[in-house]
Amino acid sequence: MAALDKVSGNYQGTTFPGGHVERDETFTESVIREVSEETGLVIEDPKLCGFSKKRTGTGDGCCSRTDS
């Protein structure tokens, strides 16, 4: 697990690397890219350990993903 100490922008405090899955990108590829972009770390073979729900602003209360 990597935590970032963000000190600028509209949120300041401890946060975790994150972002969006790009078109035609797998979830794993997205994790590797986002960690690299935000921390400079190069990771291999990340493992999914959990999930959280996030408000989308669409009124449905959360977004979800199903992996096959």
Side-chain angles (χ1 to χ4, degrees), residues 18-38:
H20 303 282
V21 178
E22 302 289 341
R23 181 181 294 261
D24 298 324
E25 182 177 53
T26 68
F27 186 70
T28 299
E29 290 167 340
S30 175
V31 168
I32 291 169
R33 178 183 52 76
E34 287 290 346
V35 167
S36 176
E37 287 176 1
E38 296 191 18

PDB file of all heavy atoms in Angstrom, residues 18-38:
ATOM      1  N   GLY A  18      -4.639   7.060  -7.283  1.00  0.00           N
ATOM      2  CA  GLY A  18      -5.907   6.687  -7.912  1.00  0.00           C
ATOM      3  C   GLY A  18      -6.134   7.454  -9.183  1.00  0.00           C
ATOM      4  O   GLY A  18      -5.383   8.362  -9.516  1.00  0.00           O
ATOM      5  N   GLY A  19      -7.152   7.067  -9.889  1.00  0.00           N
ATOM      6  CA  GLY A  19      -7.469   7.739 -11.146  1.00  0.00           C
ATOM      7  C   GLY A  19      -8.537   6.978 -11.883  1.00  0.00           C
ATOM      8  O   GLY A  19      -9.363   6.306 -11.271  1.00  0.00           O
ATOM      9  N   HIS A  20      -8.495   7.048 -13.178  1.00  0.00           N
ATOM     10  CA  HIS A  20      -9.515   6.439 -14.015  1.00  0.00           C
ATOM     11  C   HIS A  20      -8.908   5.378 -14.923  1.00  0.00           C
ATOM     12  O   HIS A  20      -7.762   5.488 -15.331  1.00  0.00           O
ATOM     13  CB  HIS A  20     -10.194   7.501 -14.876  1.00  0.00           C
ATOM     14  CG  HIS A  20     -10.801   8.598 -14.069  1.00  0.00           C
ATOM     15  ND1 HIS A  20     -12.001   8.441 -13.424  1.00  0.00           N
ATOM     16  CD2 HIS A  20     -10.369   9.835 -13.776  1.00  0.00           C
ATOM     17  CE1 HIS A  20     -12.286   9.556 -12.772  1.00  0.00           C
ATOM     18  NE2 HIS A  20     -11.301  10.417 -12.969  1.00  0.00           N
ATOM     19  N   VAL A  21      -9.701   4.390 -15.241  1.00  0.00           N
ATOM     20  CA  VAL A  21      -9.299   3.374 -16.218  1.00  0.00           C
ATOM     21  C   VAL A  21      -9.502   3.979 -17.600  1.00  0.00           C
ATOM     22  O   VAL A  21     -10.580   4.475 -17.920  1.00  0.00           O
ATOM     23  CB  VAL A  21     -10.127   2.076 -16.053  1.00  0.00           C
ATOM     24  CG1 VAL A  21      -9.738   1.047 -17.101  1.00  0.00           C
ATOM     25  CG2 VAL A  21      -9.981   1.499 -14.650  1.00  0.00           C
ATOM     26  N   GLU A  22      -8.448   3.977 -18.394  1.00  0.00           N
ATOM     27  CA  GLU A  22      -8.520   4.515 -19.755  1.00  0.00           C
ATOM     28  C   GLU A  22      -9.226   3.530 -20.681  1.00  0.00           C
ATOM     29  O   GLU A  22      -9.290   2.335 -20.411  1.00  0.00           O
ATOM     30  CB  GLU A  22      -7.107   4.789 -20.286  1.00  0.00           C
ATOM     31  CG  GLU A  22      -6.280   5.737 -19.447  1.00  0.00           C
ATOM     32  CD  GLU A  22      -6.749   7.182 -19.518  1.00  0.00           C
ATOM     33  OE1 GLU A  22      -7.476   7.522 -20.481  1.00  0.00           O
ATOM     34  OE2 GLU A  22      -6.396   7.959 -18.625  1.00  0.00           O
ATOM     35  N   ARG A  23      -9.743   4.035 -21.793  1.00  0.00           N
ATOM     36  CA  ARG A  23     -10.390   3.184 -22.797  1.00  0.00           C
ATOM     37  C   ARG A  23      -9.406   2.097 -23.244  1.00  0.00           C
ATOM     38  O   ARG A  23      -8.236   2.377 -23.470  1.00  0.00           O
ATOM     39  CB  ARG A  23     -10.809   4.023 -23.999  1.00  0.00           C
ATOM     40  CG  ARG A  23     -11.509   3.234 -25.079  1.00  0.00           C
ATOM     41  CD  ARG A  23     -11.880   4.124 -26.239  1.00  0.00           C
ATOM     42  NE  ARG A  23     -12.882   5.095 -25.848  1.00  0.00           N
ATOM     43  CZ  ARG A  23     -14.184   4.952 -26.099  1.00  0.00           C
ATOM     44  NH1 ARG A  23     -14.629   3.912 -26.748  1.00  0.00           N
ATOM     45  NH2 ARG A  23     -15.030   5.870 -25.703  1.00  0.00           N
ATOM     46  N   ASP A  24      -9.888   0.870 -23.349  1.00  0.00           N
ATOM     47  CA  ASP A  24      -9.100  -0.292 -23.783  1.00  0.00           C
ATOM     48  C   ASP A  24      -7.962  -0.653 -22.830  1.00  0.00           C
ATOM     49  O   ASP A  24      -7.026  -1.342 -23.208  1.00  0.00           O
ATOM     50  CB  ASP A  24      -8.536  -0.101 -25.204  1.00  0.00           C
ATOM     51  CG  ASP A  24      -9.647   0.052 -26.236  1.00  0.00           C
ATOM     52  OD1 ASP A  24     -10.689  -0.609 -26.093  1.00  0.00           O
ATOM     53  OD2 ASP A  24      -9.462   0.838 -27.184  1.00  0.00           O
ATOM     54  N   GLU A  25      -8.027  -0.188 -21.589  1.00  0.00           N
ATOM     55  CA  GLU A  25      -7.017  -0.488 -20.582  1.00  0.00           C
ATOM     56  C   GLU A  25      -7.629  -1.437 -19.559  1.00  0.00           C
ATOM     57  O   GLU A  25      -8.770  -1.260 -19.153  1.00  0.00           O
ATOM     58  CB  GLU A  25      -6.588   0.820 -19.904  1.00  0.00           C
ATOM     59  CG  GLU A  25      -5.520   0.689 -18.859  1.00  0.00           C
ATOM     60  CD  GLU A  25      -5.121   2.040 -18.296  1.00  0.00           C
ATOM     61  OE1 GLU A  25      -6.017   2.795 -17.853  1.00  0.00           O
ATOM     62  OE2 GLU A  25      -3.925   2.343 -18.301  1.00  0.00           O
ATOM     63  N   THR A  26      -6.891  -2.449 -19.154  1.00  0.00           N
ATOM     64  CA  THR A  26      -7.410  -3.343 -18.115  1.00  0.00           C
ATOM     65  C   THR A  26      -7.296  -2.659 -16.758  1.00  0.00           C
ATOM     66  O   THR A  26      -6.542  -1.687 -16.589  1.00  0.00           O
ATOM     67  CB  THR A  26      -6.637  -4.670 -18.074  1.00  0.00           C
ATOM     68  OG1 THR A  26      -5.300  -4.409 -17.625  1.00  0.00           O
ATOM     69  CG2 THR A  26      -6.624  -5.373 -19.425  1.00  0.00           C
ATOM     70  N   PHE A  27      -8.016  -3.183 -15.782  1.00  0.00           N
ATOM     71  CA  PHE A  27      -7.942  -2.652 -14.429  1.00  0.00           C
ATOM     72  C   PHE A  27      -6.506  -2.747 -13.915  1.00  0.00           C
ATOM     73  O   PHE A  27      -5.980  -1.810 -13.332  1.00  0.00           O
ATOM     74  CB  PHE A  27      -8.912  -3.421 -13.527  1.00  0.00           C
ATOM     75  CG  PHE A  27      -9.009  -2.865 -12.143  1.00  0.00           C
ATOM     76  CD1 PHE A  27      -9.615  -1.654 -11.911  1.00  0.00           C
ATOM     77  CD2 PHE A  27      -8.484  -3.557 -11.072  1.00  0.00           C
ATOM     78  CE1 PHE A  27      -9.698  -1.123 -10.628  1.00  0.00           C
ATOM     79  CE2 PHE A  27      -8.566  -3.052  -9.791  1.00  0.00           C
ATOM     80  CZ  PHE A  27      -9.172  -1.830  -9.569  1.00  0.00           C
ATOM     81  N   THR A  28      -5.846  -3.866 -14.165  1.00  0.00           N
ATOM     82  CA  THR A  28      -4.461  -4.061 -13.721  1.00  0.00           C
ATOM     83  C   THR A  28      -3.527  -3.047 -14.368  1.00  0.00           C
ATOM     84  O   THR A  28      -2.677  -2.447 -13.692  1.00  0.00           O
ATOM     85  CB  THR A  28      -3.992  -5.500 -14.025  1.00  0.00           C
ATOM     86  OG1 THR A  28      -4.836  -6.409 -13.320  1.00  0.00           O
ATOM     87  CG2 THR A  28      -2.553  -5.722 -13.620  1.00  0.00           C
ATOM     88  N   GLU A  29      -3.667  -2.837 -15.671  1.00  0.00           N
ATOM     89  CA  GLU A  29      -2.836  -1.851 -16.368  1.00  0.00           C
ATOM     90  C   GLU A  29      -3.055  -0.451 -15.798  1.00  0.00           C
ATOM     91  O   GLU A  29      -2.111   0.325 -15.648  1.00  0.00           O
ATOM     92  CB  GLU A  29      -3.147  -1.857 -17.867  1.00  0.00           C
ATOM     93  CG  GLU A  29      -2.687  -3.108 -18.578  1.00  0.00           C
ATOM     94  CD  GLU A  29      -3.280  -3.244 -19.970  1.00  0.00           C
ATOM     95  OE1 GLU A  29      -4.316  -2.606 -20.283  1.00  0.00           O
ATOM     96  OE2 GLU A  29      -2.701  -4.016 -20.755  1.00  0.00           O
ATOM     97  N   SER A  30      -4.301  -0.149 -15.454  1.00  0.00           N
ATOM     98  CA  SER A  30      -4.626   1.144 -14.879  1.00  0.00           C
ATOM     99  C   SER A  30      -3.944   1.352 -13.532  1.00  0.00           C
ATOM    100  O   SER A  30      -3.392   2.422 -13.254  1.00  0.00           O
ATOM    101  CB  SER A  30      -6.141   1.277 -14.730  1.00  0.00           C
ATOM    102  OG  SER A  30      -6.470   2.467 -14.079  1.00  0.00           O
ATOM    103  N   VAL A  31      -3.976   0.336 -12.697  1.00  0.00           N
ATOM    104  CA  VAL A  31      -3.343   0.426 -11.375  1.00  0.00           C
ATOM    105  C   VAL A  31      -1.843   0.671 -11.531  1.00  0.00           C
ATOM    106  O   VAL A  31      -1.276   1.556 -10.882  1.00  0.00           O
ATOM    107  CB  VAL A  31      -3.602  -0.852 -10.550  1.00  0.00           C
ATOM    108  CG1 VAL A  31      -2.728  -0.895  -9.314  1.00  0.00           C
ATOM    109  CG2 VAL A  31      -5.074  -0.963 -10.186  1.00  0.00           C
ATOM    110  N   ILE A  32      -1.195  -0.099 -12.396  1.00  0.00           N
ATOM    111  CA  ILE A  32       0.248   0.044 -12.613  1.00  0.00           C
ATOM    112  C   ILE A  32       0.570   1.455 -13.108  1.00  0.00           C
ATOM    113  O   ILE A  32       1.494   2.115 -12.610  1.00  0.00           O
ATOM    114  CB  ILE A  32       0.748  -1.029 -13.594  1.00  0.00           C
ATOM    115  CG1 ILE A  32       0.663  -2.408 -12.929  1.00  0.00           C
ATOM    116  CG2 ILE A  32       2.174  -0.728 -14.049  1.00  0.00           C
ATOM    117  CD1 ILE A  32       0.886  -3.577 -13.882  1.00  0.00           C
ATOM    118  N   ARG A  33      -0.201   1.958 -14.082  1.00  0.00           N
ATOM    119  CA  ARG A  33       0.030   3.290 -14.637  1.00  0.00           C
ATOM    120  C   ARG A  33      -0.193   4.386 -13.611  1.00  0.00           C
ATOM    121  O   ARG A  33       0.625   5.294 -13.455  1.00  0.00           O
ATOM    122  CB  ARG A  33      -0.886   3.518 -15.857  1.00  0.00           C
ATOM    123  CG  ARG A  33      -0.745   4.902 -16.479  1.00  0.00           C
ATOM    124  CD  ARG A  33      -1.703   5.103 -17.630  1.00  0.00           C
ATOM    125  NE  ARG A  33      -3.085   4.787 -17.300  1.00  0.00           N
ATOM    126  CZ  ARG A  33      -3.897   5.560 -16.579  1.00  0.00           C
ATOM    127  NH1 ARG A  33      -3.471   6.715 -16.092  1.00  0.00           N
ATOM    128  NH2 ARG A  33      -5.148   5.190 -16.348  1.00  0.00           N
ATOM    129  N   GLU A  34      -1.313   4.315 -12.878  1.00  0.00           N
ATOM    130  CA  GLU A  34      -1.629   5.361 -11.902  1.00  0.00           C
ATOM    131  C   GLU A  34      -0.609   5.419 -10.770  1.00  0.00           C
ATOM    132  O   GLU A  34      -0.206   6.500 -10.347  1.00  0.00           O
ATOM    133  CB  GLU A  34      -3.038   5.163 -11.327  1.00  0.00           C
ATOM    134  CG  GLU A  34      -4.144   5.498 -12.300  1.00  0.00           C
ATOM    135  CD  GLU A  34      -4.261   6.988 -12.600  1.00  0.00           C
ATOM    136  OE1 GLU A  34      -3.673   7.824 -11.883  1.00  0.00           O
ATOM    137  OE2 GLU A  34      -4.949   7.313 -13.579  1.00  0.00           O
ATOM    138  N   VAL A  35      -0.175   4.267 -10.272  1.00  0.00           N
ATOM    139  CA  VAL A  35       0.841   4.256  -9.211  1.00  0.00           C
ATOM    140  C   VAL A  35       2.127   4.888  -9.733  1.00  0.00           C
ATOM    141  O   VAL A  35       2.756   5.697  -9.056  1.00  0.00           O
ATOM    142  CB  VAL A  35       1.078   2.829  -8.670  1.00  0.00           C
ATOM    143  CG1 VAL A  35       2.327   2.775  -7.806  1.00  0.00           C
ATOM    144  CG2 VAL A  35      -0.127   2.356  -7.881  1.00  0.00           C
ATOM    145  N   SER A  36       2.507   4.551 -10.959  1.00  0.00           N
ATOM    146  CA  SER A  36       3.717   5.128 -11.551  1.00  0.00           C
ATOM    147  C   SER A  36       3.592   6.642 -11.722  1.00  0.00           C
ATOM    148  O   SER A  36       4.504   7.390 -11.365  1.00  0.00           O
ATOM    149  CB  SER A  36       3.998   4.470 -12.899  1.00  0.00           C
ATOM    150  OG  SER A  36       5.104   5.061 -13.516  1.00  0.00           O
ATOM    151  N   GLU A  37       2.457   7.091 -12.260  1.00  0.00           N
ATOM    152  CA  GLU A  37       2.254   8.526 -12.494  1.00  0.00           C
ATOM    153  C   GLU A  37       2.266   9.324 -11.195  1.00  0.00           C
ATOM    154  O   GLU A  37       2.805  10.422 -11.142  1.00  0.00           O
ATOM    155  CB  GLU A  37       0.914   8.765 -13.198  1.00  0.00           C
ATOM    156  CG  GLU A  37       0.893   8.358 -14.646  1.00  0.00           C
ATOM    157  CD  GLU A  37      -0.477   8.529 -15.291  1.00  0.00           C
ATOM    158  OE1 GLU A  37      -1.433   8.984 -14.618  1.00  0.00           O
ATOM    159  OE2 GLU A  37      -0.596   8.195 -16.477  1.00  0.00           O
ATOM    160  N   GLU A  38       1.681   8.788 -10.157  1.00  0.00           N
ATOM    161  CA  GLU A  38       1.499   9.564  -8.937  1.00  0.00           C
ATOM    162  C   GLU A  38       2.608   9.396  -7.904  1.00  0.00           C
ATOM    163  O   GLU A  38       2.758  10.243  -7.034  1.00  0.00           O
ATOM    164  CB  GLU A  38       0.145   9.240  -8.319  1.00  0.00           C
ATOM    165  CG  GLU A  38      -0.985   9.664  -9.236  1.00  0.00           C
ATOM    166  CD  GLU A  38      -2.338   9.619  -8.583  1.00  0.00           C
ATOM    167  OE1 GLU A  38      -2.416   9.601  -7.342  1.00  0.00           O
ATOM    168  OE2 GLU A  38      -3.328   9.594  -9.323  1.00  0.00           O
TER     169      GLU A  38
END
